[in-house]
Amino acid sequence: MSSSSAVSQTHFDAIVVGAGFAGMYMLHKLRGMGLSVRVYERGDGVGGTWYWNRYPGARCDLESMEYSYSFDKDLQQEWDWQEKYGTQPELLKYANHVADRFDLRRDIVFETRVTHAHYDARAVRWAVTTDGGDQVTATHLVMATGNLSTPQLPKIDGVADFAGRRFHTGDWPHGGVDFPGRRVGIIGTGSSAVQAIPKIAEQADQLTVFQRTANFSIPARHGPLDPSQREAHKARYDEIRSAAYETPFGIAKYGSPTQSAFDVSDAERQKIYEDAWALGGQALLFTFTDLLTDGAANETAAEFVRERIRETVKNPAVAELLCPKDHPIGTKRLCLDSFYYETYNRNNVNLVDVKTTAISRIEPHAVVVGDNVYEIDDLVLATGFDAMTGAARDIDIIGADGARLAERWAAGPQTYLGLMVADFPNMYLITGPQSPGVKSQMILSIEHHVDMIAAMIEKLRAEGLTTVAPEAQAQDAWVSENNTVAHMTLYPEAASWYMGANIPGKPRVFMPYVGGVKQYRATCQEVIDDNWRGFAFSDAG
Ligand code: N01
């Protein structure tokens, strides 16, 4: 296997699609194994999610000391996070630092989208085509395309004809956007909107929020990172990283709860929720064992949060509209905010319910809801993504015997361990559907998958074999296990992007694995120890 990657080169050991945190580490790892690698990235820089989502207030909802790479101890020690939760600029700076430090850019082709990937069984190669006209081949194809990377325009009449400035939070202008003197409308109240709304409200003359589903949001209690805390964390980094793997969500800070919400008295439960609320972040969801499995337990936490909303928002009608009542807390991604509910006490902010009456149409200068016309200058679409499957389905992927990925996944994604798909030899997914990815500390799950992919490639090499793909039976069993685990929880009760419910016509299938990071890793380890049970390694050449 070669290690050079001259521009004219047309065959590679591996092609990686995407230069976010997944693609960057995959490149580094494979290069370290002596493989020739080319990465294609549609942006003009690295960073993935943190490259595209530049809306005001964008920041991670996991603390930076955990939401960061662990694969290189020196990197971990030398980087000093400045804030408790990484801001988008800080996370992007970190991604660029990693790219520089490991000299990654020389193998990344930017501003280039992979359009086709076709497997040639005779040659045991993937033929990859890009919108830049590249036609290259590779033995291995790694989809590091991210789970929330295909922004969705809402299916509303007239959205394309809006004549003012229009922005999607997931594809925000790089130079930033100023809102002083503007009448702004924002559609959506998910995590992106909850972060953007307070910031836009500070600038705009008038901000109208069009809310279809009220979401639960918890104060982040964000602030600068105390250097002494940072150093104390660094001193125990290995221990903390290991502890994270033993938790349900791969977050050391939030270990496994030990008691049911009904093991304690009402007063004790209230006190536990108050402490979690004061701590901020996701802590509230980690207070009791049954919050995501028992409706009555969940309701105790949900009502606690609704009470905080009613306390915060002065207008009782607005407060009630902001109180989520149609899904258990935590079954849609819990939002983290800085002064979200307080923002509705401002005179320049107006909340419009578009659940009772949906948005009828968008006109060149207005959003129309029933008989009401809301005139605006700027339209912000915080309307989310074609999550988990959108990016892979955007590429025409054809595996062995003409199998089309889009057709195979027409009724919902099918994978083995979220890592590979039957009949798509040597094609790997990083944090694909049916893995814990989006239900975990993402970078930890990325590292786990990259290491597993590297181990599969190493095994092929060591044994003189050429292809690996999951067995159909193993894949079916895993899809079924994924569904069984999901239906033991309350998650499927929410019309969430986890269910594909945010995209009209997308199959309603629960996509992430919610058995927890600890269980998932144990399963993967058993598979490996059983000589990669369920994966067929062969000498197809
Ligand atoms: O997208 P979303 P997001 N008419 O899909 C509404 C991660 N993330 O970008 O709920 C009216 O959650 C839609 O309404 P409904 C995080 O994992 C992380 O905010 O479908 N409304 C919803 O309110 C997150 O979960 C961070 O009824 C329409 C909103 O648009 C994921 O990204 C920050 C509509 C979309 O919410 C996605 O978050 C940001 C229509 N026609 C994001 N169509 C952090 O780390 C859609 N909506 C903090």
Side-chain angles (χ1 to χ4, degrees), residues 55 59 61 188-192 195 212-213 332-333 382 384 497:
Y55 58 84
R59 70 171 78 244
D61 57 3
T189 46
S191 300
S192 303
Q195 292 185 326
R212 187 164 67 185
T213 305
K332 288 186 129 189
R333 173 77 172 216
W497 58 259

Side-chain angles (χ1 to χ4, degrees), residues 50 55 59-61 148 154-156 169 187-193 195 212-213 215 332-333 354 359 382-385 497 502:
W50 304 108
Y55 58 84
R59 70 171 78 244
C60 188
D61 57 3
L148 294 158
K155 305 263 182 295
I156 301 173
T169 48
I187 300 178
T189 46
S191 300
S192 303
Q195 292 185 326
R212 187 164 67 185
T213 305
N215 257 312
K332 288 186 129 189
R333 173 77 172 216
V354 297
I359 296 172
T383 45
F385 305 86
W497 58 259
N502 63 325

Side-chain angles (χ1 to χ4, degrees), residues 150-165:
T150 316
Q152 281 306 293
L153 289 189
K155 305 263 182 295
I156 301 173
D157 283 349
V159 67
D161 305 325
F162 183 70
R165 301 189 301 177

